[in-house]
Amino acid sequence: MVNMIYKYLHLVNYKDIPNWSVQYADDEDLGFTKKYPMARIGSFLVKSKDTIEVQDDVEYKQVTIKINNGGVVPRNNGETILGSKIGTKRQHVVHAGQFIMSKIDARNGAYGIVPAELEGAIVTNDFPVFDVDTEKIIPQFLVLVSTTERFIDFARKCSSGTTNRKRIDIDAFLNQQIPLPSIEEQKLILDDYNTHMESAIRKEYKIKSLAVDSQQLICNILGIKQKVSQESKSLLQFIHLTDTGSRWDALVDTYAIESKYRIENLGKFIMHISTGTTPPTSHPEYFDGDVKFFTPADLGNNKYLEHSSRTITDIAIDDKKARVYHKGDILFVGIGSTVGKVGIVKDEMVSSNQQITGFTIDSSKINPEYVYYYLLYNRDITTADQSKTTLPIVNQDKICKIPIVVPPIKVQDEIVSSLDKMYLEAKRDEKEITVLERKAISLFEHKIFD
């Protein structure tokens, strides 16, 4: 006979329930280590009450928080905003060193410390701000605890609301207990973490430096210079309406360049060009197949396009609901905020959405990899003729008119070889950065979890 044991009742103390969610009451143990004393978050955080009334004639800095411990950063790329354009007039003032979180994105690790440059910025009630008792806890230690996967899982459980607007229960957050080593022990734990993260940051700077060096290398070899026409120096220019293509945003100077080598329109070397399209989403049989389907988010990180966030089926292609590109084709983002991003197709057959244009280069006339690097490191040239509207556009015609410097094939090959070495070095550094970041997080979590 098998004895069956059922759990009908789970008893908890009333004072220990910060949220009436049954799931939360049953799963409040996050698995923290027992070697340090535990403390309520609310025992060292005090909600700030520094509020103001936004004045219409005053400019303000605003704040946002990146998810996954991405940091506290200025909203609107750091630009101030006039009070008359701010809808919520009652706002909170933030101060350097305060702990801040996003109610909506707490479940995605949106916690951080206000940096000095955001002193005096403002936030709405959706961004609770707290003064930190630094005699009990180092702010960075709290941020790292709150951005661990287990803590984020807790934040998800005590967030409620509509699907995309779930807000964390602040009382549940403040009542949650976490390990609280002494300040001296916290410093030692953070030293280990920061040592690895600082190494990762140095490699990130190296990668940025390599990108600058790569751009400088191609410009130096080709002797590229911007050429300002005499006409563009005048205060007033005349242009025929027929030359605008019926678009007033065409009334802009195109980017002119000069080089010690000949300059041609890119279209001279394009054998085939087409813009992608998205199959109708009303047909599920078109999606989740074996054909990679690229969007702008998939371009920009690698020379060769290997991974796509979405896929489509052969049915979509057979029904002519998607356009196909082949191995060696270049994909170019022609619509949106990331216009100008490029990549080379690695597979025998892929597809893309309507923001991407793909084209086949005649390799008998020009090295396709040289074309890739030229487009990659000269986005000021490749996107100069984009439409000056809310949505930047570089269409097929404008892609074909991109001016490209055409040195002898031997020079093209030398440029590709040099840039390939820099590219591979950057990729090695990227892998090392990932290892260092994971090691830093692993060391920290090993200290605070069983």
Side-chain angles (χ1 to χ4, degrees), residues 117 196-214 422 425-426 429-430 432-433 436-437:
E117 61 267 26
H196 288 81
M197 292 303 292
E198 285 166 4
S199 295
I201 290 171
R202 284 194 294 271
K203 289 192 176 293
E204 286 178 353
Y205 281 125
K206 181 184 173 185
I207 291 173
K208 290 178 181 178
S209 177
L210 280 171
V212 173
D213 291 345
S214 298
M422 292 181 172
E425 185 177 352
D429 286 337
E430 285 180 3
E432 290 181 23
I433 287 171
L436 288 165
E437 290 176 340

Side-chain angles (χ1 to χ4, degrees), residues 39-105:
R40 287 176 56 254
I41 292 176
S43 69
F44 46 76
L45 287 189
V46 178
K47 199 167 186 304
S48 173
K49 297 180 180 179
D50 189 357
T51 59
I52 61 166
E53 288 291 332
V54 173
Q55 304 299 311
D56 287 348
D57 58 347
V58 177
E59 291 191 344
Y60 298 91
K61 290 183 291 186
Q62 293 181 303
V63 175
T64 191
I65 311 169
K66 292 184 177 180
I67 64 174
N68 301 322
N69 192 14
V72 181
V73 297
R75 192 183 290 274
N76 304 320
N77 295 318
E79 294 183 9
T80 57
I81 184 170
L82 198 61
S84 59
K85 296 182 179 180
I86 298 175
T88 304
K89 296 302 181 184
R90 189 72 172 172
Q91 301 245 353
H92 295 270
V93 180
V94 304
H95 300 287
Q98 289 181 319
F99 181 84
I100 186 172
M101 61 192 291
S102 165
K103 283 184 180 179
I104 293 173
D105 276 323

